[in-house]
Amino acid sequence: MPPRRGRARAPVVVSIGGSILLRDDHDVDYLGKLAELLRSAGRSGPVAVTTGGGRTARQYIRLGRELGLTEVELDELGIEVTRLHARLLAGRIGPPCPARPPVTVAEAVHELHRASPVILGGTEPGHTTDGVAALLAVRLRAARLVNATDVDGVYDRDPRRYPEARRIARMRWPEFRSLVAAGTSAEAGQNFLFDRLGAEMLARAGIPLAIVRGRDLPNLRAAIEGRPFDGSRIEL
Ligand code: UTP
């Protein structure tokens, strides 16, 4: 067999928080540029992307909770919204990105063998799209997981309450896991730094997590490509 030139790049997984996708602030411009970034990243190597539900999901979850739906049903409402966002982005990216978001991690892995990028929302009740992204990253033996969110990294205390809070550029997994564990519960629609189970899975597999402000596209691109970026990096 002739020697293969170079090795295929290891997959990269990107988790995009719903809160940065739709915020009534130049959304069309942002979504168009984000789609272009993901299309070009997907051409240079396998890229899998999850999209969150943001405030739209939380609106439905609040309404459902007031109507007495169960936590599982509330999670399912959230999942539908995350899939709506995945469709929106996938539609803008166009072929070969599958227009219909895969509904399981196994299906997403399968799709990634023939197309990149692949965009999906949630899968089943009990976690968030960050959790789906973490599971995908482990399954794909990804080089990294990039969490594109509405904060620019991990702080030593809540930066909204403490102006003197300092961003931590590099953190080890045990420290990050305890931070996540202290700040989350199992309720539908909660909003925190990262999915608890997802953090456990990444830590166990030793996959680095990059946390960046998702609206800062040059910086998001740097994190996806594995170049230095402004934000926080969690690693072994
Ligand atoms: P998100 O992934 O958007 O969670 O899913 P989030 O923490 O609200 O993140 P942001 O604000 O978008 O960044 C929204 C909700 O949908 C349900 C959960 O209830 C979650 O809180 N969900 C999502 C699931 O139950 N399973 C999934 O796989 C994904």
Side-chain angles (χ1 to χ4, degrees):
M1 252 208 320
R4 282 176 60 184
R5 264 195 287 140
R7 272 167 64 90
R9 205 189 70 189
V12 176
V13 178
V14 186
S15 174
I16 303 180
S19 48
I20 62 164
L21 286 172
L22 299 179
R23 61 191 319 167
D24 294 333
D25 173 23
H26 301 91
D27 291 348
V28 174
D29 182 53
Y30 172 70
L31 287 168
K33 288 181 176 150
L34 175 67
E36 191 44 55
L37 190 166
L38 295 174
R39 186 192 292 133
S40 100
R43 268 201 300 260
S44 27
V47 175
V49 182
T50 62
T51 49
R55 67 172 182 222
T56 315
R58 275 191 289 279
Q59 266 167 7
Y60 275 92
I61 288 170
R62 193 180 329 113
L63 196 59
R65 187 169 277 130
E66 285 173 23
L67 288 168
L69 272 65
T70 64
E71 285 297 312
V72 167
E73 289 163 342
L74 297 178
D75 279 344
E76 284 166 346
L77 280 181
I79 292 172
E80 293 299 332
V81 177
T82 63
R83 288 181 178 159
L84 210 58
H85 290 163
R87 258 192 196 272
L88 190 67
L89 202 53
R92 181 66 178 83
I93 293 170
C97 173
R100 186 189 70 88
V103 295
T104 63
V105 165
E107 197 193 327
V109 171
H110 184 74
E111 288 280 13
L112 206 60
H113 286 137
R114 56 166 207 88
S116 171
V118 168
I119 322 278
L120 72 158
T123 53
E124 63 272 309
H127 51 219
T128 68
T129 46
D130 287 346
V132 174
L135 194 53
L136 250 175
V138 174
R139 286 261 187 243
L140 292 167
R141 295 169 169 75
R144 68 196 75 88
L145 195 165
V146 178
N147 186 25
T149 181
D150 57 357
V151 293
D152 62 356
V154 185
Y155 282 77
D156 58 354
R157 67 196 79 179
D158 186 350
R160 285 164 303 195
R161 288 176 54 202
Y162 302 95
E164 72 278 20
R166 285 181 39 195
R167 192 173 68 195
I168 306 167
R170 276 172 155 229
M171 201 182 226
R172 305 264 171 220
W173 274 114
E175 209 186 331
F176 185 71
R177 281 159 77 185
S178 37
L179 206 70
V180 171
T184 44
S185 74
E187 271 199 341
Q190 65 173 314
N191 189 17
F192 190 64
L193 208 47
F194 202 78
D195 184 280
R196 188 184 345 196
L197 215 64
E200 294 295 329
M201 283 188 291
L202 292 178
R204 226 168 43 181
I207 295 175
L209 170 67
I211 299 183
V212 288
R213 194 188 285 285
R215 285 254 166 170
D216 179 351
L217 288 169
N219 209 26
L220 174 60
R221 181 188 290 275
I224 291 175
E225 292 175 354
R227 291 185 282 113
F229 64 93
D230 231 11
S232 299
R233 187 179 157 92
I234 296 97
E235 56 200 351
L236 278 179

